[in-house]
Every structure is written in C-alpha cells, then in structure tokens.
C-alpha cells in the first residue's frame, strides 16, 4: 500500500514519529531523530512520557525518506520547544440570567501559527461551547479519535453543579481536552478549533461549510457493505476496547459500592460518638477520656465524609468519561470497517468487469485511498490514546490512593491529640489529685 | 480504705490455662457437649524460692463458676462482686459467631473467667473465703460443700427486694444516687456495645469490598502491556487491605469485652444498693412495728383510744373484754415489745454495718472502674491509631505501584 499523499494539512493522516522503526534501529539510521526523543504531542502530563516499552507497532512499512523529512519540518518539535499553540482553560465564573444560571471559563490562546490572525486570544466559553466543538471535530475529522469531555449531565441533588469542587474538576477536564486537541497534529489545525479559540461569539450554526473533503466522503459512507478481512490490528483494538470497557464498568460498580458502604459506616459513626458524650456527663474522672473518644469519632466522621465526596467528585466522573470516550472510539472503528467494506465491494465489482476495462476505475482508487488514510490516522491516534490513557489512569488511581491516605492522616491526627490529653490526665492523677469528686 | 492485707493472690498464682470439650449427661439425662476450663494454681513462695513446681490443677465448667458467684453474692451482699463473662454471646455483628462452641468465643470466655478469679482473689474480703479456696484447689465434693452452706436459702427473693425499693422511706441518699448511677452505667454501656457492633459490621463491609479491586486489577493487568505490572501489584495491596480488617476487629473485641465487664458490674453495684434498701426497709418495718405495739400497750393500759382502731369500734359495739383477757393481752404485748426492741437494735446495727462496709467497697469499685475504663479507652485510641497507620501503609504501597504504571 502506498502512503497517502497529503491533500491539505488538515485532512491527511500524517504518521507521527513513533510509528517509524525504533530510533535506534538500523534502517532509519540516517534520518532518525535523536535517541532521547520523547513522544510527540506531549500534552498536559506533568510526568515525562516514555516510549512504549519495546513494543514495536506492527504496522505498514515506514514512509519514504523525502516525505519523512517534510514531516519533520512541518510537525511540531518533539521536545515541545517549538510547539506553537498553547491553550489554557481557567477562571470559572458564574453567570446568572433570568433564564438560567451557568458557568463560563476563560480560554487563553497563545500562538505563532499563521492560521491565526493574532498571537493571543482570550475568550469566555461555557460547557455547551466545548460540546459544540467536540461534535464539530467528530463530524469533520471522523477518522480521528477525539479526546473526551467531562460528563454532560449531572444528577441534580447528588452533586452540586456550582460547588467549587465540581467546577474545578470540570475545569481540569476541559483544560485537558483542549490541550489534547491543540497538541494533535491534525485536529489542532481544524477550523472549528480556530473559531472556538478566537471568535468573540461562536456562531454555532456554521457547520457544514467547513467539513473537510475527507470528512464529507466518510460521512456519507453507508453501512450497507459487509466487511471481509479486517486487519488484525484493528480487530485487536476493538477487542481491547470491549474488554477494557468491561473492566471500567466493574471498577465503577466497585467504587460506587465502596461509597455506599462508607456512607452507611458514616451513619453508624454519627450515632456512636454521641453515646460517649452522654456517658461523659455521668462521670467525673472518666469525663475527659470519654469526651476525647467522642471527639475522635466526630473527627473521623468529618474526614470520612470528605473522602466520600472526593471519590464521588473526582473518581467516578473520570471513569464514566472514559466509557463514553471508548464508545465514540468504537464508532470510529466501525466507520473504518464500513469504508473498507465499501472499497472491497467496489473492488470486487470491478474485478468482475475486468475484461471490459483493464485499468482500475478511479472511484475504486479513491476508496483505496480513503481506507489507507483512515487506517493511518487511526493507528497514529491509537498510540497516542494509549499513552494518554496510561497517564490518565495513573493520575486517577494515584488520586484515589492520595484521598485514602489523607483520610487516615486526618483521623490519626485527631487520635494523637486524644492520646496527649490522656497523658496529661495520667500525670494529674499520679500527682495525687484523685478522689475529689463523687463518682 | 482498701486493706493492703494478704489477699489470696499474693500467696498464690492463679490462671485459667485451657479449655476443652467434654461430653456428659445433663440434669434430664440427655447427652450434651460442654466446655471445661483448667484452673492452675501455684504457691508464690515456692516460685520465689527458685523452685519451679508444677501447678496444681483441676477442671471446672461455667456452671460451677456461676454457683461460686451466687454463693459470694449471698454471703457478701455488701460487696460489689466481680461479674462473670457473658453466658451467651451478645452484641454480635454478622461476622462474629453467636455460637457458644465457637473457638474465639471459648477463648474470650477463658480470659474472662481468669479475670474473674483474679479479681476475686485480690479482693481484701472475698479472697479469704474458704469456699473460694476449695473451688480453686480441690475438685471433689466442692458442689456438696457449697450447698451445705445453705446459701441458696439465704438468697433474698426478688419480690421482697423490689417491694423494699418502693416502700423504703429513708434510704441513705448516697446509695440512692449510686443506684441511679448504676442504672445509667448499665444503659449507656449496653447502648455503646450495640452501636459499636453495628459500626464494626459496616467497617468490615468497607474493607472487604476493596478486595474486589484486587480481582479486577488483576484481570485488567492481563489486558495491558505497560500498566500490567503496576496494576497487578496494586491489586495485591488491595487484597491485603481487605484482609487486614479481620485482625483489627478481633482486637476490638477485647475492648468490647472490657466494656461488657462493666456492663455486668453495673448490675452488681445495683444489687448492693438494693440490699441496702432492703435492710433499711426491714429496720423501718421493725421500728414501726415496735411503735405500733407500744401504742397498743398504752391503749390497753389506759383504756384510751388514741387513734381510730377496729378494736375500739368493736368494743363500743359489743362491749369491752374481761380484765383477764386484757391482762393476757398486755403480757403478750410486753413480750412482743421486748422482742421488738431487740430486733430493732439488731437491725440498726445490721444496717449501720452494712452501710459502712458497702460504702467502703463502692469507693474501691469506683476507683477500680475509673482506672480500668481509662486504660480501656486509651487502648481503644491506640487501636484506632494503629489501624490508621496500617491504612496509610497499604495505600502508600498501592500509590507507588500506580506511579510505576
């Protein structure tokens, strides 16, 4: 299969560097980047990303050297030093109007790209606008994996939509989304992204006119064709996503169960502490220790409540985002299957008529191009997705561990205070202050 | 104050070393399984002299301990008698067995029985009792000997005690207050134990569900290339976390047992107060009996009816009795009055001595209670801290594994 020729920057599937042979491999010795190269499109992660551990991507042959050179010049520098588009989402603010109340976020863009008129932009956007952007990206770049957004709907009464914690969690997710889009070699050049970042008012109705040619052609492929031979790697992707989604579902259920058990534990704790306080009222010498235990329990209750809130607010939403994300990825895989099926059908039809026309008809060639571009786009995005996923889950699970550690630390602090007060009491008793009260 | 006399415990080392199952026939001649406990004793001076004699030992079952305690209750009513460990497992949470044959229950009971013996043997009054000594040192004929003391007959009936509570006019205020305190202590410790059991149950649930993370991380790690190792190790830590709760809650049962002891002690305390009310009531009854007899004598002697009496009425209606009858009545009354005065004197002494002895022991009990419970509460706080430390350890380990993903 020949590599697809880039028609325009926005629509071609450029292979990022990591798709080539390993930098230290023999064949590419002349043109390989420096051995300490990091993964491109290094987005939000504070951590350094590492190359996939010796897992060679079993894909098609590397592209020819000349186009590789082109891409090295056109791509963002792998170290991010000459990255030319920086975006940030911050400063959430509440807006109250007669019709509704909502939050807007400030989106700041700094860029040297010629596609933008100005080097800097500051706009305010609300969740709806991000949602619009993502939909537009999905429609216009159907061969790519679009990063996920935080959950759209929030169950009222369970989480407070305007609480600081919720807004901050959402802001972080929106920031991550935008950074990933901005670091994507193809998506970052999308015109809708440009509007989103720069326009004073988003005219959300401008849609169809900006569909790329590729987008259009893919969009109208019907699912009427049967797929014959799906390449192994895409089957593997599909299988992986199915199994992974299942595991995520299990983890979600476990997390919810834990939250439920903790809430019930909390309810009992809230009854437990006060009994010590009541008892303290009947005692003299024991009053101190009893009230101490009561206050420990109270302290524990507060810490436990915070833990439950943190897990509900931080942990569960991210899991659910990923489930939705995976659904959208499976949709993209399905589309790819359809494109390939169409190509196969047309090829077969042409083969039957081979005697009439010796050369391959152009529409079959176009189909072939489409398939190859789609495959290439998907493969490059897949690897990036794997990296992002590792990072996201490392962060998520580390966060879970941190929340639990903090809970135990808070409880310990309360207990230590109690111990110290006991020591004081014992000293008083030893000094002979006993027998001063009736009971 | 408490005499620092030579209590039994100073002369003798006592322990309840083991428990065993036996089979035998019960009172209705049916086969039953029961547990016996090995009581071991060694004279202390033999040990301090450097010899290491084998302990004397005998086996006793729970019901024999009960008989011993009932004997002590009747024989020393002014003493707050240490309680036995519970007969049946109460305040259980779901993981804990309510079965009396359960090995954990038997073990905790063994500890409780030893504690009972140590407390009794270190009490300045109780430790001198011969029946106690016999119980500890000679297996044979103990039951017969204790029954021969006739203590069962001496036991006050519940009804008598209860009616005294309602009818007594001038109980010692301190005893009334102490009785109220014992009621509160009983109700509070009982409530505390109930809620604690529920809390333990819930805590158990929280920990165990984390075990599911262990399994799903393991399954997930099979899907992954890079993340696999980190996930797998983290999963092991989650399993360890889930398993750690068993030991923690077993330790907490020890705290619960300490509370239970004082739940039962509250009852013993109340019994002492009730006995005071009974003796006081008996004194009041004897006194008022004496007064009314004296009054009757006066009426008979002077012929004047001071207060309304049925006799006075019938005299008016049917005529007075003969002088001989009156003489007979008078002398009978005189006898009764003499007896009554003796009784009142006896009862007064009895009451005073009782109040003195009981007050001393109640003070001793109060100090013991404050000491023991303070220690228990501190121990509880230490347990909580230890539990938190383990939690921090496990989650820190898990966090490291996540870092390495």
């Amino acid at each position: 299969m020949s590599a697809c020729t880039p028609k325009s920057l926005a629509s071609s599937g450029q292979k990022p560097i990591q798709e080539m042979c390993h930098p230290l491999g023999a064949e590419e010795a002349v043109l390989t980047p420096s051995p300490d190269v990091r993964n491109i499109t290094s987005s939000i992660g504070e951590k350094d990303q590492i190359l996939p551990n010796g897992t060679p991507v079993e894909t098609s042959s590397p592209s020819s050297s000349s186009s590789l050179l082109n891409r090295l010049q056109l791509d963002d520098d792998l170290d991010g030093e000459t990255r030319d588009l920086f975006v940030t989402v911050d400063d959430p603010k509440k807006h109250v109007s007669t019709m509704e109340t909502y939050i807007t976020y400030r989106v700041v863009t700094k860029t040297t790209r010629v596609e933008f008129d100005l080097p800097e932009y500051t706009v305010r956007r609300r969740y709806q606008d991000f949602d619009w952007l993502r939909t537009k990206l999905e429609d216009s770049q159907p061969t790519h994996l679009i990063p996920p957004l935080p959950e759209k709907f929030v169950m009222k009464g369970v989480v407070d939509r305007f609480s600081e914690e919720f807004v901050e969690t959402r802001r972080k997710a929106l920031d991550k989304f935008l950074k990933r889009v901005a670091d994507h070699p193809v998506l970052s050049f999308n015109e809708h992204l440009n509007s989103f970042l720069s326009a004073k008012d988003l005219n959300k109705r401008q849609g169809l006119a900006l569909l790329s040619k590729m987008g259009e052609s893919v969009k109208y492929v019907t699912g009427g064709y049967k797929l014959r031979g799906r390449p192994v790697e895409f089957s593997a992707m599909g299988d992986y996503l199915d199994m992974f989604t299942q595991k995520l579902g299990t983890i979600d259920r476990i997390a919810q169960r834990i939250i439920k058990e903790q809430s019930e534990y909390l309810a009992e704790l809230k009854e437990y502490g006060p009994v010590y306080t009541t008892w303290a009222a009947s005692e003299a010498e024991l009053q101190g220790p009893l009230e101490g235990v009561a206050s420990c329990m109270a302290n524990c209750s507060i810490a436990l409540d915070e833990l439950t809130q943190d897990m509900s607010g931080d942990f569960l939403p991210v899991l659910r985002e990923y489930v939705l994300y995976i659904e959208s990825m499976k949709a993209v895989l399905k589309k790819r299957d359809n494109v390939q099926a169409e190509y196969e059908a047309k090829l077969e039809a042409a083969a039957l008529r081979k005697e009439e026309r010796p050369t391959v008809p152009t529409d079959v060639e176009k189909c072939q191009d489409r398939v190859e571009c789609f495959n290439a786009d998907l493969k490059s995005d897949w690897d990036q997705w794997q990296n992002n996923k590792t990072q996201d889950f490392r962060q998520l699970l580390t966060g879970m561990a941190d929340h639990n550690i903090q809970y135990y630390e808070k409880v310990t602090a309360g207990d230590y205070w109690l111990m110290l007060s006991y020591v004081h009491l014992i000293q008083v008793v030893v000094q002979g202050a006993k027998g001063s009260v009736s009971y | 104050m408490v005499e620092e006399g030579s209590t039994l415990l100073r002369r003798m080392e006592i322990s309840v070393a083991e428990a065993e199952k036996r089979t035998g026939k019960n009172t209705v001649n049916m086969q039953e399984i029961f547990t016996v406990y090995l009581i071991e004793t060694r004279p202390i001076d033999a040990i301090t002299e450097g010899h290491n004699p084998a302990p004397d030992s005998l086996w006793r079952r729970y019901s024999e301990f009960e008989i011993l305690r009932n004997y002590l209750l009747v024989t020393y009513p002014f003493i707050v008698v240490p309680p036995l460990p519970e007969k049946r497992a109460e305040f259980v949470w779901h993981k804990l067995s309510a079965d009396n044959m359960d090995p954990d229950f038997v073990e905790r009971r063994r500890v409780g029985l030893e504690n009972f013996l140590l407390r009794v043997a270190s009490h300045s009054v109780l430790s001198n009792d011969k029946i106690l000594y016999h119980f500890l040192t000679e297996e044979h004929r103990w039951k017969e000997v204790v029954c021969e003391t006739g203590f069962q007959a001496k036991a006050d009936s519940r009804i008598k005690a209860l009616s005294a509570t309602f009818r007594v006019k001038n109980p010692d205020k301190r005893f009334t207050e102490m009785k109220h305190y014992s009621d509160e202590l009983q109700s509070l410790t009982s409530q505390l134990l109930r809620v604690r059991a529920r809390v333990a149950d819930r805590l158990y649930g929280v920990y165990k569900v984390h075990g599911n993370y262990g399994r799903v991380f393991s399954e997930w790690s099979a899907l992954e290339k890079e993340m696999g190792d980190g996930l797998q190790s983290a999963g092991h830590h989650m399993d360890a976390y889930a398993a750690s709760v068993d030991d923690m809650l077993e330790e907490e049962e020890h705290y619960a047992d300490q509370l239970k002891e004082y739940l039962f002690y509250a009852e013993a305390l109340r019994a002492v107060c009730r006995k005071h009310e009974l003796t006081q009531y008996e004194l009041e009854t004897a006194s008022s009996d004496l007064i009314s007899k004296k009054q009757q004598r006066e009426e008979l002697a002077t012929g004047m009816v001071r207060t309304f009496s049925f006799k006075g009425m019938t005299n008016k209606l049917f005529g007075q009795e003969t002088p001989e009858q009156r003489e007979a009545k008078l002398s009978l009354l005189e006898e009764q009055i003499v007896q009554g005065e003796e009784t009142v004197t006896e009862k007064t002494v009895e009451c005073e001595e009782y109040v003195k002895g009981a007050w001393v022991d109640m003070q001793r009990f109060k100090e013991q209670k404050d000491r023991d419970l303070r220690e228990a509460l501190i121990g509880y706080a230490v347990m909580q801290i230890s539990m938190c430390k383990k939690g921090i350890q496990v989650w820190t380990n898990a966090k490291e594994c996540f870092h390495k993903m």
Side-chain angles (χ1 to χ4, degrees):
Chain A
M1 278 204 253
S2 61
C4 53
T5 38
K7 294 189 177 62
S8 72
L9 238 43
S11 63
S12 71
Q14 300 175 8
K15 289 189 199 155
I17 295 300
Q18 81 258 36
E19 258 244 318
M20 318 300 174
C21 290
H22 193 280
L24 298 175
E27 289 145 292
E28 302 282 285
V30 177
L31 293 162
T32 50
S34 56
D36 64 344
V37 81
R38 299 293 179 215
N39 274 330
I40 68 160
T41 68
S42 74
S43 34
I44 7 63
E46 290 85 17
K47 279 190 74 73
D48 277 340
Q49 296 169 348
I50 50 171
L51 284 169
N53 288 340
T55 46
V57 182
E58 68 277 10
T59 54
S60 50
S61 54
S63 49
S64 66
S65 38
S66 59
S67 54
L68 174 55
L69 247 180
N70 282 342
R71 266 182 239 124
L72 275 176
Q73 286 163 355
L74 291 166
D75 268 350
D76 300 337
D77 187 336
L78 309 153
D79 291 327
E81 273 175 8
T82 56
R83 195 197 291 159
D84 56 3
L85 176 64
F86 298 87
V87 294
T88 318
V89 177
D90 60 14
D91 190 35
K93 273 200 169 52
K94 199 175 192 175
H95 290 254
V96 184
S97 71
T98 45
M99 295 290 283
E100 52 175 350
T101 307
Y102 59 91
I103 306 269
T104 62
Y105 304 84
R106 185 177 70 158
V107 178
V108 178
T109 310
K110 290 192 172 65
T111 179
T112 55
R113 289 194 186 175
V114 296
E115 289 79 11
F116 290 86
D117 295 332
L118 299 173
E120 235 185 88
Y121 293 94
T122 302
V123 294
R124 291 211 77 96
R125 298 281 180 249
R126 56 186 289 192
Y127 181 92
Q128 266 180 22
D129 302 332
F130 284 84
D131 197 33
W132 169 88
L133 174 62
R134 189 172 192 280
T135 310
K136 284 284 160 242
L137 288 173
E138 268 188 331
D139 287 344
S140 57
Q141 311 283 168
T143 62
H144 286 284
L145 303 175
I146 318 291
L149 276 178
E151 265 192 316
K152 189 174 200 152
F153 298 110
V154 177
M155 270 178 48
K156 296 220 182 122
V158 176
V159 183
D160 176 13
R161 282 184 304 140
F162 300 110
S163 74
E164 263 188 57
E165 294 88 12
F166 177 78
V167 170
E168 176 57 17
T169 307
R170 210 176 224 205
R171 183 202 66 77
K172 278 195 265 208
L174 293 173
D175 183 75
K176 197 193 280 191
F177 164 77
L178 213 53
K179 282 186 159 77
R180 284 192 175 156
V181 172
D183 289 342
H184 193 286
V186 173
L187 296 179
S188 61
F189 288 96
N190 185 286
E191 259 133 333
H192 298 287
L193 177 68
N194 196 314
S195 311
F196 179 90
L197 294 176
S198 58
K200 268 280 159 257
D201 294 306
L202 269 185
N203 182 0
K204 297 195 208 154
R205 261 168 275 117
Q206 51 165 213
L208 290 171
L210 297 175
L211 266 183
S212 68
K213 281 200 178 169
M214 174 58 138
E216 215 171 296
S217 56
V218 170
K219 195 171 150 81
Y220 293 118
V221 166
T222 55
Y225 304 97
K226 219 167 104 170
L227 180 65
R228 224 65 71 68
R230 189 195 288 123
V232 167
E233 59 202 309
F234 296 112
S235 290
M237 283 181 200
D239 290 339
Y240 173 82
L241 288 178
D242 284 334
M243 291 190 285
F244 185 45
T245 255
Q246 211 188 53
K247 298 305 158 213
L248 289 182
T250 308
I251 294 176
D252 184 292
R253 275 192 298 282
I254 296 172
Q256 278 188 65
R257 175 84 189 277
I258 289 177
I259 288 172
K260 175 165 169 284
E261 295 282 342
Q262 280 173 340
S263 304
E264 290 177 352
Y265 173 52
L266 180 62
E268 298 294 352
L269 263 186
K270 284 191 172 155
E271 257 195 67
Y272 188 42
V275 181
Y276 284 99
T277 307
T278 311
W279 187 0
S282 303
E283 298 284 345
E285 294 266 330
L286 287 177
Q287 194 173 44
L290 285 169
E291 277 177 354
V293 173
S295 81
C296 274
M297 295 295 152
N299 180 43
C300 190
S301 299
I302 294 171
L304 186 60
D305 199 28
E306 283 169 9
L307 174 63
T308 315
Q309 297 286 5
D310 285 342
M311 290 299 283
S312 293
D314 285 351
F315 191 78
L316 291 177
V318 175
L319 277 182
R320 289 177 192 149
E321 277 161 34
Y322 253 86
V323 171
L324 291 172
Y325 190 13
I326 289 171
E327 269 173 44
S328 79
M329 287 169 71
K330 279 166 49 171
V332 174
L333 281 175
K334 190 113 202 292
K335 268 189 231 149
R336 191 217 69 84
D337 282 354
N338 290 340
V339 169
Q340 183 179 332
E342 192 194 358
Y343 165 63
E344 283 174 355
K346 291 206 170 136
L347 189 61
E348 203 181 295
L352 291 172
R353 279 174 273 134
K354 212 169 180 173
E355 299 81 37
E356 299 167 19
R357 281 193 262 172
T359 54
V360 178
T362 43
D363 65 328
V364 175
E365 260 183 23
K366 279 201 191 128
C367 270
Q368 187 185 32
D369 275 350
R370 260 189 247 134
V371 173
E372 287 169 5
C373 284
F374 209 140
N375 289 354
D377 289 348
L378 252 187
K379 270 184 278 198
S380 73
D381 280 5
W382 176 261
D383 291 332
Q384 187 54 45
W385 180 82
Q386 284 284 6
N387 284 325
N388 288 343
K389 176 208 80 185
T390 304
Q391 216 189 81
D392 283 345
F393 279 92
R394 187 189 298 131
Q395 199 176 46
L396 183 71
L397 294 169
T398 310
M400 171 169 88
D402 274 333
H403 287 318
N404 278 280
I405 292 171
Q406 276 162 30
Y407 162 73
Y408 281 115
E409 283 177 345
K410 283 178 207 161
V411 177
T412 311
D415 285 339
Y416 267 126
W417 171 85
L418 175 65
M419 291 295 295
L420 288 175
S421 69
Y422 278 156
V423 171
H424 168 74
L425 266 172
I426 291 167
Q427 285 173 345
V428 165
V429 165
V430 162
Q431 280 157 26
K434 51 183 175 178
S436 51
V437 277
S438 49
Y439 291 122
Chain B
M1 285 308 294
V2 174
E3 292 158 31
E4 306 249 345
S6 58
T7 61
L8 186 59
L9 202 56
R10 287 175 186 272
R11 290 179 280 127
M12 187 192 236
E13 202 180 72
I14 304 173
S15 72
V16 176
E18 280 166 41
E20 254 181 37
K21 288 208 182 38
R22 297 277 168 82
T23 54
K25 292 254 159 84
N26 67 4
T27 44
V28 290
N29 218 29
M30 290 192 41
Q31 199 69 341
E32 61 166 1
I33 304 176
F34 55 90
T35 314
V36 286
Y37 300 87
L38 184 67
I39 301 178
E40 287 184 343
T41 51
R42 281 200 303 183
I44 292 215
D45 37 16
I47 299 167
T48 51
E49 276 166 23
H51 312 159
N52 202 6
D56 295 319
S57 62
L58 46 84
W59 295 93
R60 293 251 183 246
R61 55 186 293 194
Y62 186 84
S63 54
E64 293 176 88
F65 280 84
E66 279 184 305
I67 294 172
L68 172 65
R69 185 164 189 270
N70 287 336
Y71 162 78
L72 291 173
L73 281 170
V74 169
T75 316
Y76 305 94
F78 58 99
I79 298 287
V80 182
V81 177
L84 287 171
E86 55 189 355
K87 196 169 173 96
R88 258 165 285 280
E90 281 176 52
F91 306 108
V92 284
W93 49 282
H94 95 275
K95 184 60 168 53
L96 223 49
S97 173
D99 176 18
N100 279 11
M101 289 291 150
D102 179 76
D104 285 335
F105 179 79
V106 168
E107 171 58 19
R108 289 208 309 280
R109 190 186 251 194
R110 182 196 67 75
V111 172
L113 290 173
E114 185 177 278
N115 191 44
F116 166 75
L117 289 179
L118 292 175
R119 286 209 194 273
V120 170
S122 61
H123 191 284
S124 55
V125 173
L126 298 175
S127 62
N128 295 318
D129 190 276
K130 299 237 166 21
I131 299 287
L132 170 70
Y133 190 78
H134 191 155
F135 180 89
L136 292 169
T137 52
E138 244 186 83
E139 194 155 354
H140 300 298
R141 285 209 78 235
W142 178 77
K143 261 201 189 147
E144 287 87 341
V145 170
V146 77
C147 287
E148 278 164 18
T149 63
F151 78 93
Q152 281 139 332
K154 286 192 228 155
D156 297 319
S157 79
R158 280 262 163 114
I159 299 171
K160 213 167 56 155
L162 204 55
S163 80
T165 303
F166 288 125
R167 296 192 193 168
V168 69
K169 297 205 182 82
N170 280 322
D172 187 314
K173 285 244 164 44
R174 301 172 299 175
F175 283 69
T176 313
E177 276 170 30
M178 195 58 98
K179 197 174 76 150
H180 286 151
Y181 171 74
S182 76
D183 285 336
E184 270 176 37
L185 184 64
Q186 189 172 36
S187 128
L188 286 164
T189 46
S190 158
Q191 194 184 4
L192 201 58
L193 284 163
R194 244 178 299 123
V195 182
R196 190 212 71 91
R198 292 206 304 262
V199 169
D201 211 5
R202 289 296 170 203
L203 187 65
Y204 184 79
V206 170
Y207 272 79
K208 286 301 175 188
V209 178
H210 280 83
N212 293 333
Y213 274 145
R215 194 176 51 238
V216 76
F217 284 170
S218 176
E219 290 168 6
W220 180 9
S221 73
L223 299 176
E224 299 289 342
K225 295 178 193 132
E226 295 167 42
M227 289 165 60
D229 288 336
L231 273 177
Q232 181 87 306
S233 320
H236 292 321
H237 290 301
M238 290 293 100
D239 285 332
Y241 182 72
S244 68
V245 73
D246 292 311
D247 285 342
M248 281 184 226
L249 287 177
E250 182 56 45
E251 248 191 270
E252 249 197 49
E253 280 311 308
H254 174 63
Y255 170 69
D257 283 340
Q258 289 174 300
L259 290 179
K260 271 181 217 166
E261 193 188 11
Y262 278 90
L263 169 65
F264 303 140
Y265 251 128
E267 218 180 289
L269 183 62
R270 186 171 49 239
V272 170
C273 297
R274 282 242 181 96
K275 181 70 181 182
H276 160 74
E277 285 170 346
L278 190 58
T279 50
Q280 175 70 14
Y281 177 66
E282 284 172 354
L283 171 60
E284 287 171 3
T285 310
S287 302
S288 68
D289 264 355
L290 183 63
I291 289 171
S292 97
K293 289 266 181 320
K294 283 185 175 167
Q295 226 173 23
Q296 279 177 18
R297 179 182 59 184
E298 209 184 300
E299 283 168 19
L300 266 181
T302 61
M304 267 170 43
V305 178
R306 287 264 186 88
T307 54
F308 174 81
S309 76
F310 205 53
K311 196 81 177 100
M313 279 301 298
T314 54
N315 279 349
K316 286 223 163 90
L317 290 170
F318 301 113
Q320 289 207 350
E321 48 206 354
T322 64
E324 293 81 15
Q325 281 174 329
R326 218 158 48 129
E327 276 310 313
K329 276 214 189 104
L330 257 175
S331 56
L332 180 63
L333 267 175
E334 289 292 347
E335 268 176 46
Q336 284 174 342
I337 286 169
V338 166
Q339 253 175 23
E341 275 170 345
E342 268 178 39
T343 309
V344 168
T345 312
E346 264 174 41
K347 288 285 174 194
T348 308
V349 168
E350 193 186 312
C351 213
E352 272 171 19
E353 278 184 6
Y354 184 88
V355 164
K356 218 166 64 172
W359 186 248
V360 163
D361 200 59
M362 290 199 293
Q363 292 304 102
R364 177 206 62 78
F365 167 74
K366 174 201 171 287
E367 278 175 27
Q368 175 200 296
K369 173 208 77 177
D370 285 342
R371 246 189 343 258
D372 289 348
L373 288 177
R374 183 165 46 233
E375 201 185 293
L377 290 167
I378 292 177
Y380 191 49
V382 170
M383 258 185 258
Q384 301 294 309
I385 291 176
S386 152
M387 189 168 89
C388 288
K389 287 222 162 112
K390 289 201 189 104
I392 292 175
Q393 186 64 54
V394 167
W395 281 105
T396 308
N397 291 342
K399 183 175 165 179
E400 268 175 45
C401 296
F402 294 141
H403 255 322
K404 292 196 195 125
M405 280 187 345

